[in-house]
């Protein structure tokens, strides 16, 4: 009836869609959905109903043409349930599917279902002719833009076809008649094509097959022609390979099929699409950014206030385009009501779903009705300005005069309504916050036309849109020439000018400088400008068509209204989105026209592409039939597909074309030969013309892909395809062009690889089987081969079948079951036949030839294609799986090693394969036995020779230089890893390796990273080959000496390594730590005092100025941070590592290795710098030295350096002296000299080398003296400048001194003698600036000179004469120069080796000076003492002479302390004299006398000091006091609460506010609250540490580097805290307490995020704290400290804070009333109250604050009942309930927590607050607050008693025991039945 009222005519399928009101459509769709639900759940009933009334299905089918698209899915579902039966229902109902599976009579039900479906289809066919069915297919299967609808129609048509046995051909003919119209529907025809292919295959009408094939092929060819001749086809084809191609944006007429995608619904915030909004007192009007289709609206209400809650909300919409939403305000006629929703009180979420989505450009939300709250309206309001409480009437603040009803956000006042729900200015709502989310999508819709004015506006709008479309189109057309020019530039490779241009000026979307500018511009123009213009044009055209449709619809309604007899008011049409092409374009179709003539030409490139794709899909279905397949082949489809479709389209389309071609050629030799011929011809032409072809890869890519796909198909024609591949491969492999290799050779190789080594089976049948187990041929030791040329030539006997006959067959499963004797007989036959065959025919009939120059070598080392090399290696590896081939392959690959020199990096894959094949040990032994190692050594030598030639002839180098050398070295190393090979070839290869390493070390120009790596590998190889037994090491050292002799004396670089190697062998040193990193950070506590920051963290240890000492690190910090004052001050800055202060004299590397790496190895060393003493004395450990235990041990040099004895045996010392003698300058020879001196230093530590070196024939001393003079002269002339030169001189002099000492111990005939001239030259070096500036060099020189005078009196006299002018001490004391002082100091050193009796008298005379003070101050005295020490060392006569006269004077000098160190020098002299026994006795006597005198003086001083203190010593030496000391006066101590910092309390600091450190966290106020969002609060615990607020703030200020609570934790016993609860002491002013309480509230807000705390949340806080006691929950989990006692003390002071707020706000009477109402509540509300925030526990806590002791005694039994009920209800119904159903009494342990809380409350009354007294006019709250304020000691003691009482409660095990302890037996007469009676009394 609804459809008829809307104007639907029966049997009219071409009428326009009905225009029904939205409410009518909602009513209609609700009815239809109800029917659909019934049809889904009771499918058979629905089918029988339709069977009974034969007009139902036809009506539903007809209604689908006329009703709105939103109704179509429901109609189709009803049709599907009827025609498809239970199958359609089970797709929508999983439940019914399960029920159907459980049905025992499933088979019978299925047959019955099929019968009903068949009957209904036959019934429908009576009413539905071909025109209606055609219209249905067009409407729902082709035109619908909804994919789900098309699939629904697909299922319907499929079932109609299956159940229409008589009319199947008619349906098929109908669909083939629609086939030519396929291009008009583009991508939407996928379901139609699927059905067409299925129907064609199922209908066996051979006569019409040819017609169907003709139609399919003709459409394909026509669309191919359209694509080929399209004006933009060339541009599209070129663009698809250059940019992200996702659309055709150059079309002149935007296709509404391609450019109208199906947009899914999505969630959108209303605020995101809102452009304008207006408000009234209860209405919100919103203008959307564009028209949207909305299916659901979700509302979330936040910050809900119970004062005024919404009861109902109305949603309105319209589709009017307005400039401002004001035009729609207060105009209800312009709005359509969508839905009305009712909310419950307190509801915070709402979901509004529309059965039929609405199309809206504007929304209006009306808050229509509210819940009344009379109590809330009578309350006072808060002033928005000063927050003062203001009465609701008159609503004006008495403090500031503001109107309290003004908007809190914009301050606007609504004078029409005193208290509006919404602000009419800004829309702010003070009662709630509304958050709307829409589920919708943008759509194209236009204003409805209802009158002539609307029609005129629509016409004007169409004209404006067309003008705009023309402008956009012109802009789009102007882009095409630019695109063409850019494509030309890209095809011409950009041109030189294009390459020179920078990318910075490009407008492209990519900023990469490596992309061609033309491609960037192309992507920018097409994907950016063209796309945006085309999208805009498409939207305009859609809107124009929608406007025209609305215009036509209006004209139609006007004509109908004018022609109707009875006029009726027109129904206002609802706005509909233009989301479907069906409403805009209905292509006319006349069945009488021929298919060819009815085919419309499609100009849309996208639709043509989609049509081509559909044709390929259909042809694939047709080709699955062998008969149809042959017809397609005969019609030349293969050629058409290869020419047109193989290259065109997207990748999936091209893959479908290839699959179609594979299907056409399956098991068809003729088609296979045809395709092979086409492909071979195309690829062969490309190969021959590859040099002239611009893009050969593109020319053959698709052909090779097709060839690959055909090869992978297993059919009878695979061998013919394989021959085609082999011919192409053999043709391509002859070409050396990289493009041929990559485009043809590589794909062929991959095909061959796939055949040689097939992929692992993936089918379920063979998933767990290997390829070998599935093969039909058995691999044997002797393979059967076939010649490739003869096989390709189709010679007789050279086919796959012939080869398979000759190859051994695998034993079948049936033969395995044969008898054992038969199997044994067959085995013997095969064994002896193979043996006879091998002897009779020495060569195979078809031997394999895998040696020589063949294709494998060219591919393996192809420089152009890594992939080809890898595939070739894979093929070779697969061939080697047969073991008898591996030996031949290895021999072949070994022969290819010579190609490494020319191949370079192209041999990577070859070497990987070679290494993999020789990985088994036996193959390495095989190759070693064949002489591979010497061959590899020769190849390495050739590579090194080649590098040497390049080093001498060129200055340029290749970065890949040395690759072959490195790979050969790795190969050699892999062989040497085997001990057997290493032991056999070690002696033969060590020379080659050593020479190779030394040659590489000399490279400079040709040095690359590869060369460096090879050098390191040779060094490692050398170490492996030289490490072994001691005899082997000695032999290697001899080899090294011989190697040095091979190089000329002018080579200063090569011997360096050999000598270094010898040094490491003789004395292996610890590995250097190498490079490491440091982070230099400032001490955080000195952030305010030290400027700057080290910005380069982490720093490398190799950076300059960061070593070698820690002092250098300090200096760098001072320089970089501009701390100039600390630069020269080593005491001003400290460096800390691992929290230890490091001495600045320590080496950085040693600190890193011995301090940092012990715990942090691998991480950057963290060095913290700070100013010393800035924040007090340091507490860290100081590290002054790094202990080296080796230095304290006695070292046996003979054992440590024993290997150096080889140097004396093999002539190494002579070679070293020769090399030392040729060094004439330090510029070239410094490195060699350094290592030589190091090696000499090791050698001279062994006796055999020292004896060898003093042989006169070696001339050792003269050579070394010459070198020493050269070093000293070079230092003066600054030739060898550097810090290490002085060290070289010291090392050389030390070596010479050791050799001279050894010579001194031999006979005089063996003494060394040097030149007198050299002696004079060394003496003259004293005056050189270098020697004078290096004290160690000077001292060493003076120690060496005496040895040069041994056995030569004239040299001694020369030495004495040189120093004689400087030893006049009297003259020296009167006046001396620095030069005289230096010479005298030198002579003191020389005198240690010279005994001259004539000097002794002069020294004694100096000692006999008169005045002692003058004598001590003489400048010559230190030198005299040094000389005497030197003269007395080892000379008995001198010791006796000095000891007889000078011991007392020298002893006196021992006790002298002076800057010159006279005391130490005198002590050294005494030690030298003690070598003589008689003198030693005299020295001991003198020292004993001095010691006794000092002791006497000390005891006298002690007695004097004790006497001053009134003490004395007795005979035993014990100290005694003469009189007792006076007692100190008693100090009065604090009692009660004291500060943990200053230890003062109220006695001495009575006016200061004390506070308790607390820790508060955010939590739920009540976990059992029966709401989805629970009320939030906080919970507090404490360690009960008391502190003055002033002391706390002072401590925070002093701890600058820490945060406030981090510092407070130190005072709070290392317990976390975030609050400071103030205590109101007896004499503390209220203003001070109130200020501290406000600060505490601020702390609570910061740590919990809670709004301003009130006494309400404090009471809940006390409740949560008491629950911790009752449940025995830890108090220190979060804070880390505090226990039961601490928190028991805290409760009273938390109550005081709540009491203070209650009393000051005068809220006590109100709360007393609330407690009273709670106690008087009806029992019906007891259960519900258990799940509220303000439940029994809350009121029990509140009662302590407002009810006195007498009221508690009166009400405590009622509180006990309420708590017991709450405990039981929460255990029985944890999720919440309003009525108790489980009244069974539970275990006592389940009631125990609440009972303990009850007992604690009673304890507070009876124990803690027992002495609280009230006056007649005073309430309990005031009296309790005053008591807590005045009695801190009593509270502490009472809390301890309460805690003891709590401990007694914990062990209780029954309710009777609990009542006995608490004292309830008088109130509870029968505890055993009390709980049961209580529960039974509840309703």
């Amino acid at each position: 009836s609804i459809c008829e009222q809307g104007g639907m005519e029966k049997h009219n399928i071409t009428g326009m869609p009905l225009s029904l009101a939205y409410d009518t459509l909602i009513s209609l769709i609700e009815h239809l959905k109800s029917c659909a639900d019934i049809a889904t759940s009771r499918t058979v009933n629905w089918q029988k109903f339709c069977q009974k009334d034969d007009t139902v299905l036809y009506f539903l089918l007809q209604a689908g043409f006329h009703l709105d698209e939103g109704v179509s899915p429901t109609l189709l579902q009803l049709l599907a349930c009827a025609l498809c039966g239970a199958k359609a229902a089970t797709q929508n109902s999983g439940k019914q599917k399960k029920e159907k599976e459980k049905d025992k009579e499933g088979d019978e039900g299925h047959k019955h279902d099929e019968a009903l479906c068949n009957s209904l289809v036959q019934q429908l066919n009576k009413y539905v002719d071909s025109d209606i069915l055609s219209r249905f297919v067009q409407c729902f299967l082709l035109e619908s833009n909804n994919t789900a609808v098309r699939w629904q129609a697909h299922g319907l048509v499929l079932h109609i076809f299956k159940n229409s046995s008589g009319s199947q051909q008619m349906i098929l003919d109908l669909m083939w008649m629609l086939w030519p119209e396929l291009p008009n529907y583009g991508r939407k025809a996928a379901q139609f094509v699927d059905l067409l292919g299925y129907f064609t295959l199922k209908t066996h009408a051979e006569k019409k097959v040819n017609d169907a094939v003709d139609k399919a092929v003709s459409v394909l060819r026509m669309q191919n022609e359209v694509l080929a001749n399209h004006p933009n086809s060339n541009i599209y084809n070129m663009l698809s390979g250059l940019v992200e191609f996702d659309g055709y944006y150059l079309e002149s007429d935007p296709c509404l099929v391609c450019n109208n995608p199906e947009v899914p619904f999505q969630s959108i915030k209303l605020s995101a699409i809102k452009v304008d909004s207006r408000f009234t007192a209860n209405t919100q009007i919103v203008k959307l950014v564009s028209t949207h289709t909305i299916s659901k609206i979700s509302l979330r209400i936040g910050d809900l206030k119970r004062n005024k809650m919404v009861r109902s909300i109305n949603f309105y919409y319209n589709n009017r385009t307005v400039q401002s939403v004001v035009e729609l305000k207060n105009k209800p006629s312009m709005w359509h009501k969508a839905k009305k929703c009712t909310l419950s009180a307190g509801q915070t979420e709402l979901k509004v779903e529309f059965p039929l989505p609405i199309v809206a450009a504007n929304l209006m939300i009306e808050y229509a009705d509210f819940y009344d709250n009379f109590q809330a309206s009578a309350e006072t309001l808060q002033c928005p300005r000063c927050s003062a409480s203001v009465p609701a009437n008159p609503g004006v603040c008495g403090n500031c005069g503001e109107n309290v009803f003004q908007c809190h956000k914009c301050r606007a006042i609504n004078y029409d309504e005193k208290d509006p729900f919404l602000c009419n200015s800004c829309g702010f709502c003070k009662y709630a916050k509304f958050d709307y989310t829409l589920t919708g999508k943008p759509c194209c819709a236009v204003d409805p036309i209802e009158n002539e004015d609307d029609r005129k506006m629509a016409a004007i709008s169409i004209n404006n849109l067309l003008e705009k479309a023309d402008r956009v189109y012109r802009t789009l057309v102007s882009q095409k020439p630019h695109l063409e020019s850019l494509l030309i530039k890209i095809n011409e490779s950009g041109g030189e000018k294009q390459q020179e241009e920078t990318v910075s000026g490009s407008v492209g979307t990519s900023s990469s400088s490596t992309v061609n500018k033309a491609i960037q511009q192309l992507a920018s123009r097409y994907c950016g400008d063209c796309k945006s213009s085309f999208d805009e044009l498409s939207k305009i055209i859609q809107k124009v068509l929608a406007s025209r449709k609305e215009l036509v619809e209006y004209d139609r309604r006007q004509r109908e209204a004018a022609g109707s007899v009875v006029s009726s008011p027109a129904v206002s049409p609802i706005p509909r989105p233009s989301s479907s092409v069906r409403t805009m374009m209905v292509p006319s179709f006349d069945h009488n026209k021929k298919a060819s003539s009815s085919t419309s030409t499609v100009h849309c490139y996208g639709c043509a592409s989609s049509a081509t794709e559909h044709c390929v899909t259909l042809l694939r279905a047709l080709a699955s039939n062998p008969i149809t397949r042959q017809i397609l082949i005969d019609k030349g489809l293969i050629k058409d597909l290869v020419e047109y479709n193989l290259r065109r389209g997207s990748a999936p389309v091209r893959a479908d074309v290839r699959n179609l071609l594979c299907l056409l050629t399956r098991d068809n030799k003729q088609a296979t030969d045809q395709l092979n011929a086409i492909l071979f011809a195309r690829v062969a032409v490309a190969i021959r013309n590859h040099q002239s072809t611009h893009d050969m890869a593109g020319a053959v890519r698709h052909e090779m892909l097709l060839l690959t796909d055909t090869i992978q198909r297993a059919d009878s024609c695979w061998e013919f395809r394989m021959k085609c591949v082999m011919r192409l491969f053999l043709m391509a492999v002859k070409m050396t062009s990289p493009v041929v290799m990559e485009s043809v050779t590589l794909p062929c190789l991959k095909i061959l690889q796939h055949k040689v080594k097939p992929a692992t089976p993936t089918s379920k049948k063979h998933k767990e089987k290997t390829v070998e187990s599935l093969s039909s041929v058995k691999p044997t030791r002797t393979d059967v081969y076939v010649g490739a040329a003869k096989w390709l030539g189709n010679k007789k006997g050279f086919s796959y079948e012939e080869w398979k006959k000759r190859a051994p067959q695998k034993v079948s499963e049936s033969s395995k079951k044969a008898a054992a004797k038969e199997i044994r007989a067959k085995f013997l036959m095969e064994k002896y036949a193979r043996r006879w065959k091998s002897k009779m025919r020495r060569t195979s009939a078809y031997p394999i030839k895998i040696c020589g120059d063949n294709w494998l070598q060219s591919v393996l080392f192809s420089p152009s294609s890594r992939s080809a090399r890898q595939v070739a290696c894979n093929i070779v590896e697969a061939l080697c799986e047969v073991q008898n081939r591996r030996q031949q392959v290895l021999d072949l690959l070994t022969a290819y090693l010579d190609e490494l020199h020319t191949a370079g990096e192209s041999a990577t894959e070859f070497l990987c394969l070679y290494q993999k094949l020789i990985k088994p040990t036996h193959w390495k032994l095989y190759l070693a036995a064949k002489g591979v190692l010497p061959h590899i050594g020769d190849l390495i030598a050739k590579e090194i020779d080649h590098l040497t030639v390049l080093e001498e002839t060129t200055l340029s180098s290749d970065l890949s230089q040395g690759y072959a050398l490195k790979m050969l070295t790795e190969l050699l190393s892999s062989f040497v890893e085997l001990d057997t090979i290493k032991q056999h070839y070690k002696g033969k290869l060590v020379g080659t390796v050593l020479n190779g390493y030394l040659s590489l070390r000399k490279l400079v120009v040709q040095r690359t990273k590869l060369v460096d790596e090879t050098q390191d590998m040779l060094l490692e190889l050398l170490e492996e080959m030289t490490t072994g037994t001691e005899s082997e090491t000695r032999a290697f050292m001899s080899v090294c000496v011989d190697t040095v002799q091979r190089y000329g004396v002018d080579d200063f670089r090569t011997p360096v390594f050999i000598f270094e190697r010898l040094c490491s062998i003789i004395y292996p040193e610890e590995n250097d730590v190498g490079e490491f990193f440091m982070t230099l950070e400032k001490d955080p506590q000195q952030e305010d005092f030290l400027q700057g920051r080290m910005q380069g963290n982490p720093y490398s240890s190799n950076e300059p100025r960061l070593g070698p000492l820690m002092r250098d690190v300090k200096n760098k910090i001072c320089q970089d941070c501009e701390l100039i004052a600390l630069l020269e001050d080593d005491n001003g800055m400290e460096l800390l590592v691992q929290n230890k202060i490091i001495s600045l004299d320590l080496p950085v590397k040693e600190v890193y290795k011995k301090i940092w790496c012990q715990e942090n190895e691998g991480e950057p060393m963290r060095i913290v710098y700070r100013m010393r003493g800035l924040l007090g004395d340091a507490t860290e450990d100081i590290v002054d030295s790094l202990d080296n235990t080796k230095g304290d041990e006695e070292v046996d040099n003979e054992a440590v350096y024993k290997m150096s004895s080889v140097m004396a045996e093999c002539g190494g010392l002579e070679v070293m002296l020769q090399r030392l003698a040729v060094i004439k300058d330090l510029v070239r020879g410094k490195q060699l000299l350094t290592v030589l001196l190091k090696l000499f230093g090791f050698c001279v530590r062994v006796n055999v080398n020292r004896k060898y070196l003093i042989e006169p024939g070696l001339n050792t001393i003269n050579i070394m003296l010459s070198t020493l003079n050269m070093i000293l002269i070079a230092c003066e002339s600054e030739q060898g400048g550097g810090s290490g030169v002085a060290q070289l001189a010291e090392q050389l002099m030390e070596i010479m001194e050791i050799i001279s000492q050894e010579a001194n111990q031999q006979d005089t005939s063996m003494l060394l003698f040097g030149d007198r001239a050299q002696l004079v030259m060394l003496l003259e070096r004293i005056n050189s600036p270098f020697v004078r500036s290096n004290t160690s060099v000077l001292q060493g020189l003076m120690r060496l000179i005496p040895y040069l005078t041994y056995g030569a009196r004239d040299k001694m006299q020369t030495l004495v004469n040189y120093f004689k002018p400087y030893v006049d001490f009297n003259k020296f004391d009167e006046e001396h120069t620095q030069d005289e002082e230096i010479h005298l100091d030198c002579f003191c050193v020389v005198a240690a080796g010279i005994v001259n009796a004539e000097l002794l008298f002069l020294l004694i005379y100096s000692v006999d000076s008169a005045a002692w003070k003058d004598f001590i101050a003489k400048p010559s005295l230190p030198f005299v003492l040094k000389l005497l020490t030197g003269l007395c060392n080892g000379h008995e006569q001198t010791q006796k002479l000095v000891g007889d006269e000078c011991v007392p004077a020298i002893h006196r000098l021992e006790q002298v302390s002076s800057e010159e160190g006279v005391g130490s020098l005198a002590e050294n002299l005494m030690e030298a004299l003690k070598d003589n026994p008689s003198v030693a006795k005299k020295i001991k006597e003198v020292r004993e006398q001095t010691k006794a005198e000092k002791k006497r003086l000390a005891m006298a001083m002690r007695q004097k000091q004790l006497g001053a203190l009134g003490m004395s010593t007795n005979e035993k030496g014990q100290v005694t006091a003469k009189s007792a000391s006076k007692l100190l006066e008693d100090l009065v101590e604090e009692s009660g609460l004291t500060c943990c910092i200053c230890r003062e309390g109220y006695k001495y600091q009575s006016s200061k506010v004390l506070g308790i450190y607390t820790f508060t966290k955010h939590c739920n106020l009540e976990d059992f609250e029966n709401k989805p969002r629970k009320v939030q609060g906080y919970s507090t615990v404490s360690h009960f540490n008391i502190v003055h607020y002033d002391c706390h703030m002072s401590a925070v200020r002093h701890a600058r580097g820490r945060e406030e609570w981090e510092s407070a934790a130190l005072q709070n016993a290392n317990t976390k805290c975030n609050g400071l609860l103030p205590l109101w002491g007896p004499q503390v002013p209220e203003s001070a307490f109130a200020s501290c309480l406000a600060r505490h509230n601020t702390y609570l807000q910061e740590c919990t995020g809670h709004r301003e705390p009130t006494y309400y949340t404090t009471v809940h806080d006390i409740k949560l704290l008491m629950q911790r006691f009752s449940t025995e929950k830890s108090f220190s989990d979060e804070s880390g400290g505090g226990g039961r006692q601490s928190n028991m003390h805290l409760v009273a002071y938390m109550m005081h804070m709540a009491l203070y707020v209650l009393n000051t706000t005068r809220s006590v009477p109100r709360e007393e009333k609330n407690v009273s109402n709670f106690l008087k509540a009806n029992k019906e509300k007891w259960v519900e109250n258990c799940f509220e925030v303000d439940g029994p526990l809350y009121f029990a806590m509140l009662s302590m604050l407002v009810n006195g002791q007498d009221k508690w005694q009166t009400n405590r039994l009622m509180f006990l009942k309420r708590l017991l009920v709450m405990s039981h209800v929460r255990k029985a119904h944890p999720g919440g309930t309003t009525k108790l159903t489980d009244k069974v009494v539970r275990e006592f342990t389940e009631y125990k927590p609440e009972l303990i809380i009850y007992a604690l409350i009673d304890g507070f009354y009876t124990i803690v607050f027992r002495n609280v007294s009230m006056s007649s006019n005073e309430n309990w709250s005031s009296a309790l607050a005053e008591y807590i304020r005045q009695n801190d000691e009593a509270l502490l003691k009472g809390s301890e008693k309460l805690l003891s009482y709590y401990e007694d409660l914990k062990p209780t095990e029954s309710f009777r025991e609990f009542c006995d302890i608490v004292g309830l037996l008088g109130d509870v007469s029968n505890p055993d039945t009390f709980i049961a009676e209580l529960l039974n009394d509840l309703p």
Side-chain angles (χ1 to χ4, degrees), residues 1380-1400:
E1380 292 174 344
E1381 185 177 352
I1382 292 175
H1383 280 81
L1384 187 56
D1385 191 20
C1386 293
F1387 185 66
C1388 293
V1389 180
V1390 174
I1394 299 177
V1395 180
N1396 192 341
E1398 295 177 359
L1399 295 176
L1400 183 60

Side-chain angles (χ1 to χ4, degrees), residues 843-895:
T843 59
S844 175
Y846 307 103
I848 183 173
K849 296 181 180 180
I850 56 172
C851 58
D853 186 11
N854 52 26
W855 66 267
L856 182 60
Q857 179 177 343
S858 62
V859 177
L860 277 178
F861 300 105
S862 172
S864 59
S865 177
R866 188 204 64 81
S867 300
R869 299 194 299 267
Q870 185 61 53
V871 174
C873 291
N874 295 340
I875 293 175
V876 174
E877 183 181 0
L879 292 175
C880 291
E881 289 182 359
V882 181
Q883 289 299 321
N884 65 316
R885 299 181 191 153
R886 179 166 290 199
Q887 179 180 349
Q888 303 176 37
V889 172
L890 278 177
D891 292 340
L892 174 65
L893 297 182
T894 303

Side-chain angles (χ1 to χ4, degrees), residues 191-215:
Q191 292 78 12
F192 174 82
V193 172
D194 182 66
L195 288 175
L196 182 59
Y198 177 76
F199 293 168
T200 305
L201 293 176
K202 287 296 181 180
T203 305
H204 303 287
E206 297 182 2
K207 296 181 179 179
K208 296 188 177 182
V209 169
N210 285 328
D211 296 337
V213 171
D214 286 339
K215 291 180 180 180

Side-chain angles (χ1 to χ4, degrees), residues 359-402:
V359 181
N362 308 286
L363 288 175
M364 183 170 68
I365 304 168
E366 179 186 13
Y367 305 101
D369 194 12
F370 303 93
Y371 287 97
D372 295 326
N373 190 342
F374 299 103
Q375 181 180 0
S377 62
E379 291 184 354
T380 58
L381 302 177
Q382 186 178 17
C383 177
R385 182 173 183 180
C386 64
S387 301
S389 296
V390 182
N393 192 8
V396 178
C397 179
N399 185 25
C400 62
E402 289 286 339

Side-chain angles (χ1 to χ4, degrees), residues 382-477:
Q382 186 178 17
C383 177
R385 182 173 183 180
C386 64
S387 301
S389 296
V390 182
N393 192 8
V396 178
C397 179
N399 185 25
C400 62
E402 289 286 339
N403 189 328
V404 295
F405 294 108
Q406 64 179 291
C407 176
H408 288 205
K409 184 177 181 181
C410 68
R411 300 295 176 90
I413 302 175
N414 189 339
Y415 294 100
D416 297 329
E417 188 173 346
K418 182 173 66 172
D419 190 16
F421 187 71
L422 298 178
C423 173
N424 58 0
S425 179
C426 66
F428 176 76
C429 178
K430 63 181 179 181
Y431 300 105
K433 181 181 179 181
F434 298 95
D435 184 15
Y436 287 95
T437 303
L438 309 182
T439 301
K441 59 183 178 180
C443 65
C444 178
V446 295
D447 295 346
I449 302 176
E450 300 177 357
N451 49 47
E452 287 299 322
D453 292 337
D454 292 342
R455 189 182 189 285
K456 291 178 182 179
M457 293 300 297
I460 295 173
S461 175
I462 292 174
N463 292 332
N464 294 335
L465 289 173
L466 289 176
E467 291 179 3
K468 185 178 179 181
D470 184 69
R471 290 195 301 271
V472 175
Y473 176 68
R474 295 304 169 193
T475 304
L476 184 63
V477 170

Side-chain angles (χ1 to χ4, degrees), residues 1699-1752:
L1699 287 168
Y1700 177 78
V1701 181
L1702 275 169
N1703 292 329
T1704 54
T1705 57
R1706 301 177 182 177
S1707 303
V1708 174
R1710 182 174 58 188
E1711 296 302 335
E1712 285 180 344
K1713 184 178 180 181
N1714 290 335
V1715 174
S1716 177
N1717 292 335
F1718 165 76
L1719 295 173
K1720 295 177 182 179
N1722 295 328
K1723 291 186 179 181
E1724 287 81 0
K1725 296 184 178 180
W1726 284 18
V1727 176
E1728 183 180 358
N1729 183 247
C1730 295
F1731 297 99
E1732 294 179 355
V1733 177
D1734 302 339
L1737 282 176
Y1738 168 76
F1739 284 106
M1741 299 301 157
L1742 184 60
S1743 175
M1744 283 197 299
L1745 303 180
V1746 297
N1747 289 340
Q1749 296 172 350
D1750 53 348
K1751 288 188 177 180
W1752 169 253

